[in-house]
Amino acid sequence: MITKQVDVAIIGAGTAGMGAYRAAREHTDSILLIEGNQYGTTCARVGCMPSKLLIAAAEAAHHHRHTDMFGVASNDPEIDGRKVMQRVRAERDRFVGFVKESVEGFKAEHKVMGYAQFTGPNTLKVGEDLVVEAKKIVIATGSRPNIPGFLHGAGNRLVVNDDIFEWEELPASVAVFGPGVIGLELGQALSRLGVDVRMFGVGGAIGPIKDPEIRDYAEKVFNREFYLDPDAKVESLERTENGVEITYQHREKGLITETFDYVLAATGRRPNVDNIGIENAGIELDERNVPVFDRYTMQTRSLTDSGGSRPSHIFMAGDANNDLPLLHEAADEGRIAGDNAGRFPEVRSGKRRTALGVVFSDPQIANVGLSIQEVQERCRSCYATGHVSFEDQGRSRVMGKNVGLLKVYGEQGTGLFLGAEMVGPGAEHIGHLLSWVAQRRLTVSEILELPFYHPVIEEGVRTALRDLNSNLQLGPAVIERCMDCGPGA
């Protein structure tokens, strides 16, 4: 058994881990980056990039079918599933290669392959032959698909998003469980590529949507392409010799039974902290056995003999902390965690960006800043909303993409722009614009002073903001009245 002593140990070499490594290197050369499986981030290998490659193929097929409105004759495209998946895998491997090149640039003595297990607050066992004693530790172990028990009835026809990108051919039918970000993106893409898709959810949620009006609109729109029941009643699911037989309550046909080639579990992800001996780390855990941490410093809390806790030398970053499982957030968190691990016991709060989420469905979904529930909690009754439909928005109609709804939220008294939620065309771009002005803490009137070109989809944003502005009451008297509404109102 070999023992290695380091100043900082980082568990996981994904987006957060690499960010932590680079930040910690600014403070110390005594550092070890531990990777248990393979180099290449979740985004590059099984997430953002391969899914967008599949979506790009699906959009090409969809556009080919819908050109009649422009006076251009259309027909069903001939989809070569094998070629579709060949491009997905080839380009995916290219993106993974870039990540591997980055890791190869790290010093050899700073890297080790092997699964790490806490054996104490400052000690890690890596594989069978190495013990690492570290003064500071960053946990950046990522996440993995979470699969409800009943889906295992699908047997060898149960897949997760990781598996889809290894397909050499497209199947005839897929039942998707989970209309979240992954389910919506992959399910719609498969449907547009000729796969027969049904999508089932629990509790009524669709993607990250929080505003009930936006959610209801999205449900109607997606059901135009494939069957989507966000609160499905599934009676049974079992593997048969013909595939996976599912009996469920169809909202129009009643109780029916259908057979699918595969079941895709898009039922969320769980943090990889249950397999690293976290109980030996001596830190405070929440009810899910995930470490409690400060999202501005990434610092966890050590348990004390008196039953309390104090700031710890262990930091959390990326999907492992189960906070905001997005690449740009993981990169930010990695930098914050690595910087604080490197300078510990001095710890600094890092800059967190305005919340921004995008679903690359069609129409796209975007959420910016505070959700409607967070606005209501912050402002009680002292807020206003504005909205715009994209069904009659000029540029959207020109392009034949006139499907969508945007809602924006503002604070009474100050006129501060608080957040927005949208399903519609160009949401990935509109979301960015609105997140920028939210982070700059602009008021609605200040945003309306910014330039809007004609004719562009962004004119719809101006329409929604004008509607919001007309519903806002401004001035000291309103601010004083709203002081009684609650915290921050």
Side-chain angles (χ1 to χ4, degrees), residues 333-351:
E333 291 177 1
R335 285 193 294 270
I336 296 170
D339 180 63
N340 281 328
R343 68 172 67 250
F344 184 83
E346 179 189 355
V347 170
R348 298 179 180 179
S349 293
K351 184 177 180 61

Side-chain angles (χ1 to χ4, degrees), residues 58 76 91 138-139 144 160 189 231 245 300 318 366 400 412 421:
D76 280 340
E91 290 295 315
V138 176
I139 302 171
R144 65 185 187 275
V160 295
D231 193 18
E245 187 178 273
T300 66
Q412 298 283 18
E421 197 156 76

Side-chain angles (χ1 to χ4, degrees), residues 89-386:
R89 291 195 305 277
E91 290 295 315
R92 181 272 314 270
D93 292 346
R94 181 171 174 269
F95 289 120
V96 171
F98 294 147
V99 178
K100 290 181 176 178
E101 287 178 9
S102 295
V103 178
E104 288 172 359
F106 300 163
K107 289 184 177 181
E109 61 268 27
H110 288 172
K111 299 177 291 186
V112 65
M113 293 292 293
Y115 288 98
Q117 292 271 328
F118 279 94
T119 57
N122 292 88
T123 58
L124 300 166
K125 182 181 179 184
V126 182
E128 296 299 323
D129 304 317
L130 176 64
V131 171
V132 176
E133 296 177 352
K135 296 178 182 178
K136 289 82 59 94
I137 298 172
V138 176
I139 302 171
T141 45
S143 63
R144 65 185 187 275
N146 179 56
I147 305 176
F150 82 96
L151 290 183
H152 289 286
N156 63 350
R157 294 302 179 96
L158 175 64
V159 297
V160 295
N161 58 297
D162 308 41
D163 304 314
I164 285 180
F165 306 122
E166 297 303 325
W167 283 348
E168 294 186 359
E169 181 59 273
L170 293 171
S173 59
V174 174
V176 179
F177 282 83
V181 176
I182 295 172
L184 282 177
E185 290 187 349
L186 296 183
Q188 185 181 47
L190 291 172
S191 176
R192 290 183 168 187
L193 289 168
V195 179
D196 192 18
V197 169
R198 308 284 185 276
M199 192 174 295
F200 307 103
V202 176
I206 295 179
I209 300 173
K210 302 297 183 183
D211 194 301
E213 189 177 357
I214 302 288
R215 194 215 71 90
D216 291 345
Y217 187 95
E219 181 180 350
K220 293 176 183 176
V221 170
F222 289 121
N223 265 289
R224 296 173 190 171
E225 289 195 42
F226 53 86
Y227 181 81
L228 165 60
D229 186 348
D231 193 18
K233 304 297 185 292
V234 177
E235 303 292 334
S236 65
L237 181 152
E238 63 177 326
R239 177 75 164 93
T240 68
E241 62 181 21
N242 296 319
V244 183
E245 187 178 273
I246 301 176
T247 300
Y248 65 98
Q249 289 286 346
H250 192 286
R251 290 186 296 184
E252 297 175 356
K253 302 176 182 178
L255 189 66
I256 66 171
T257 299
E258 293 183 307
T259 299
F260 301 88
D261 289 339
Y262 289 96
V263 167
L264 168 61
T267 42
R269 297 180 69 86
R270 61 186 302 177
N272 289 328
V273 294
D274 56 344
N275 50 11
I276 59 172
I278 196 69
E279 66 278 4
N280 301 320
I283 56 178
E284 184 179 357
L285 306 178
D286 64 18
E287 65 279 359
R288 302 160 300 170
N289 287 323
V290 174
V292 174
F293 73 102
D294 184 318
R295 69 183 309 269
Y296 293 98
T297 64
M298 302 293 112
Q299 188 174 30
T300 66
R301 299 193 63 81
S302 295
L303 297 173
T304 63
D305 294 336
S306 63
S309 64
R310 64 174 184 272
S312 171
H313 62 285
I314 298 175
F315 300 82
M316 291 277 291
D319 292 5
N321 64 37
N322 206 34
D323 183 24
L324 292 171
L326 301 167
L327 180 137
H328 65 277
E329 296 288 354
D332 286 348
E333 291 177 1
R335 285 193 294 270
I336 296 170
D339 180 63
N340 281 328
R343 68 172 67 250
F344 184 83
E346 179 189 355
V347 170
R348 298 179 180 179
S349 293
K351 184 177 180 61
R352 301 308 302 264
R353 305 172 201 255
T354 292
L356 169 63
V358 176
V359 182
F360 292 86
S361 53
D362 182 16
Q364 293 181 338
I365 299 168
N367 55 282
V368 173
L370 300 182
S371 69
I372 184 63
Q373 289 82 6
E374 290 169 332
V375 168
Q376 291 167 345
E377 181 179 350
R378 164 179 166 154
C379 299
R380 303 292 177 88
S381 61
C382 284
Y383 72 93
T385 66

Side-chain angles (χ1 to χ4, degrees), residues 50-58 84-85 88 164-165 186 189-190 193:
S51 65
K52 303 312 167 287
L53 286 162
L54 193 69
I55 289 169
V84 168
M85 298 312 298
V88 168
I164 285 180
F165 306 122
L186 296 183
L190 291 172
L193 289 168

